[in-house]
Amino acid sequence: AQIRAAMFPLKMYLNDINRQELPSGGQEKLPVLERLDFIKNAQNVILAGNPGTGKTHIAIGLGLKACMAGYKVFFTTIHGLLTQLRESHSQRTLKQLEARFERYDLVICDEFGYVSFDKNGAELLFNHLSLRTGRKSTIITTNLGFDRWEEIFGDPVLTAALVDRLTHKAHLVNMNGDSYRLKETKKMTGK
């Protein structure tokens, strides 16, 4: 039931990861992260790197493991989260949504950096993610380095504040490397 409630798009377990193929940052950090202490300590995890390096797989794998350990987990893309925030904002149900989100031990926000926001969207997201800071864990996967987050948020002050809050005592995992997906595809096609 925990796993169903988490809304994972796919079931990608940590056991299915070919660890040798992960970027060195992932190989190094995964043994620490899979102990799930970061959830107990309300720390965030930020998996940053180019597309196809296993960020989403690690995020979902950790989420599934957390579910099996009895934690309440929720998976969303940043785009999906923003849509939810906007809808509840216009229907004045934002407080309920925020209360619901605060109950999750772990929220996974996938694909940060694919969509840029207007000022209103940036503020909604900032407020929302800030609520969890220091109290609950959030995993963020992103294809952009922090130096480029301003491009998404458009507001340097807001960006600096968000980066500061999200990264405070967080596990930052450098996932830059060769595309894992590309390697898998080549293996399957026998090239």
Side-chain angles (χ1 to χ4, degrees):
Q2 294 282 47
I3 292 179
R4 261 206 317 278
M7 309 284 287
F8 296 112
L10 299 159
K11 290 201 177 74
M12 301 164 96
Y13 293 92
L14 291 176
N15 302 349
D16 303 332
I17 294 176
N18 181 348
R19 295 179 186 229
Q20 282 72 45
E21 300 285 340
L22 288 173
S24 56
Q27 289 183 27
E28 205 176 294
K29 286 281 198 172
L30 194 50
V32 178
L33 295 176
E34 61 188 347
R35 294 202 295 260
L36 303 180
D37 294 340
F38 72 94
I39 300 176
K40 277 191 234 83
N41 302 329
Q43 290 172 293
N44 293 337
V45 176
I46 297 175
L47 298 154
N50 51 304
T53 53
K55 298 183 297 292
T56 300
H57 193 151
I58 290 177
I60 291 177
L62 289 169
L64 285 163
K65 188 163 184 173
C67 284
M68 293 185 274
Y71 289 111
K72 279 195 170 58
V73 181
F74 184 72
F75 178 95
T76 179
T77 60
I78 286 284
H79 180 67
L81 175 60
L82 199 57
T83 305
Q84 262 189 307
L85 288 170
R86 283 187 205 279
E87 281 170 5
S88 56
H89 186 67
S90 64
Q91 293 160 2
R92 297 189 173 27
T93 54
L94 198 57
K95 281 277 173 279
Q96 287 146 291
L97 181 73
E98 286 171 351
R100 202 175 81 222
F101 261 80
E102 275 182 280
R103 283 199 294 272
Y104 293 114
D105 300 301
L106 174 63
V107 170
I108 301 169
C109 295
D110 198 24
E111 297 182 354
F112 198 90
Y114 285 100
V115 206
S116 53
F117 317 118
D118 57 11
K119 195 164 164 47
N120 171 258
E123 281 168 6
L124 277 174
L125 205 60
F126 173 77
N127 293 337
H128 191 67
L129 292 173
S130 295
L131 278 178
R132 298 180 56 81
T133 303
R135 291 193 284 184
K136 297 289 177 92
S137 295
T138 304
I139 296 180
I140 288 178
T141 71
T142 177
N143 57 349
L144 293 181
F146 295 123
D147 52 334
R148 294 189 51 206
W149 278 26
E150 210 178 294
E151 294 169 27
I152 324 175
F153 280 107
D155 178 337
V157 179
L158 196 64
T159 307
L162 184 64
V163 168
D164 189 57
R165 287 200 188 164
L166 288 178
T167 57
H168 182 64
K169 295 194 308 194
H171 293 277
L172 306 178
V173 188
N174 179 348
M175 292 291 288
N176 276 315
D178 295 335
S179 171
Y180 179 81
R181 271 197 293 259
L182 202 63
K183 286 186 210 166
E184 291 290 291
T185 308
K186 279 182 182 160
K187 238 187 284 174
M188 279 167 24
T189 53
K191 290 203 169 72

